[in-house]
Structures are given as C-alpha cells and as structure tokens.
Amino acid sequence: MNTIRIEPAVGARQRIWSALVALVASFLLSASALAQAPAAGGAPTPLSAEELTKLVGPIALYPDDLVAIILPAATSPLQIVQVDRYLEKRKSDPKLMIDDKWDDPVKSLANYPEVVKMMSGDLDWTSELGEAVVEDQKAVLEAVQIFRRQAKAAGSLKSDAKPVVKTEKEIIIIEPADPKVIYLPQYNTTAVG
C-alpha cells in the first residue's frame, strides 16, 4: 500500500473540526428538508451493504478526519468541481480567495487537492456517494467499518510510521501518526477488501 503525504495548511485541523460541527448541523437540516420534500417519481432503491462497502472502498482507509470531510462534501458534487477549478486557477494566482458560498466541508477539502481531483474526476462516484450519505449516513459509516475490517483481516491495514490504526469497541479508527501530516494510502480496493 503506497501513500501520498499531505501537509494541511495552518489552521486546517481547526477547519476540519468546524467542518465536523457543520456536518452534524447540515445533516440535521438535510434530514428535516428531505422529510418535508414530496417524493418525485418514488424513492431510489437503497444500496445493499455490499454495494455500499464497494462504494466507500476508495476512501475507507483514509484517516477518520479526512473521511469526515469527504462524506458531507460528496453531497455537493458541483462545489467539488468548482473547488477543483479554483485549485487550478490558484496555481497561477496564489492570492485567489476561496468562495465563501461553498459548504464548510468543501472548503476544508480544498486543503487536499489530490482528493478534490479524484472526486471531481469521477463525478458519478462522488454523486452516488453523496446520495448514499443523504439516504443513510449510518449505513455509509458502517460500510466504511466493514471495508476496514476486511482490509485488516487481509493484513492490508495496520499501524506504521504513517497511520495509527486502533480498534475501540469493534470500531476501527485510523489516525495520522503525525497530526501535522496526513498520508493518503494508495491501494487497490478489490485487492484490499
């Protein structure tokens, strides 16, 4: 399993926690709005546990803090594309400011250009992930745990100098060994899970 080293910008940890708080608030508001919205052409068929596990596979072995940003950000695929374009433009104009209208998780994701590029490059996957999060956040989080358990059983998930892998009450937690540096694992989802 190869990794990419990412060093979040100063204050990124604070933005991550802010994003987590915003995530909880946005899910509460989204759930309320969805409950009030009329059904248009019937509800989509929920994904099976196996389909959800496959869906979350590309991000399931990322550190928990990053997964907590990716999941709510996936509910705004258009903003993901806008952040991707912003990051490209910022290469030639480093003073370019982030759009305040973007959701907080999307703004936080701007600190992880490789993740933004991946999500923007596969909008079908990003949209499907976002829809699954809106449909049943608990099932998505359980799918992440299922994938992690499979990877751990296969010997593909263990602590080293980059990630720290802990299990607490059957929940597998992945944290960066150095809180200032996040490594993105590079893995084949079919070989790991």
Side-chain angles (χ1 to χ4, degrees):
M1 176 165 62
N2 298 325
T3 58
I4 295 175
R5 177 183 169 139
I6 297 178
E7 295 188 35
V10 175
R13 200 109 171 119
Q14 292 168 335
R15 285 192 297 274
I16 290 170
W17 285 111
S18 295
L20 289 173
V21 170
L23 166 69
V24 171
S26 69
F27 279 142
L28 293 174
L29 293 173
S30 296
S32 173
L34 286 174
Q36 296 173 7
T45 305
L47 297 174
S48 69
E50 185 178 317
E51 291 169 325
L52 276 175
T53 302
K54 183 177 178 184
L55 180 66
V56 301
I59 61 158
L61 300 185
Y62 286 9
D64 290 354
D65 288 350
L66 188 53
V67 172
I69 295 170
I70 292 171
L71 293 179
T75 65
S76 303
L78 176 59
Q79 290 182 19
I80 298 293
V81 172
Q82 291 170 336
V83 168
D84 188 28
R85 291 177 181 168
Y86 158 79
L87 291 171
E88 284 300 316
K89 288 178 185 174
R90 195 173 72 177
K91 290 177 183 175
S92 61
D93 182 5
K95 294 182 181 183
L96 188 64
M97 298 300 291
I98 201 159
D99 191 334
D100 285 334
K101 292 180 262 175
W102 293 335
D103 297 337
D104 287 338
V106 175
K107 290 178 195 174
S108 294
L109 204 57
N111 291 301
Y112 307 96
E114 292 85 0
V115 176
V116 170
K117 185 63 71 186
M118 174 191 72
M119 294 176 76
S120 178
D122 192 349
L123 280 178
D124 289 339
W125 172 80
T126 301
S127 295
E128 190 174 359
L129 180 63
E131 289 168 10
V133 168
V134 170
E135 175 83 24
D136 190 349
Q137 178 189 2
K138 185 176 178 181
V140 172
L141 294 173
E142 179 55 29
V144 169
Q145 288 299 312
I146 290 169
F147 191 92
R148 289 178 176 184
R149 286 183 207 115
Q150 291 171 348
K152 192 170 183 179
S156 301
L157 180 61
K158 50 190 159 200
S159 292
D160 62 25
K162 297 171 185 170
V164 175
V165 179
K166 301 186 267 186
T167 304
E168 294 179 6
K169 297 183 181 180
E170 298 183 28
I171 302 294
I172 298 174
I173 299 166
I174 303 174
E175 299 173 334
D178 177 354
K180 295 178 184 174
V181 181
I182 293 183
Y183 289 93
L184 293 181
Q186 303 292 306
Y187 56 94
N188 179 341
T189 57
T190 56
V192 172

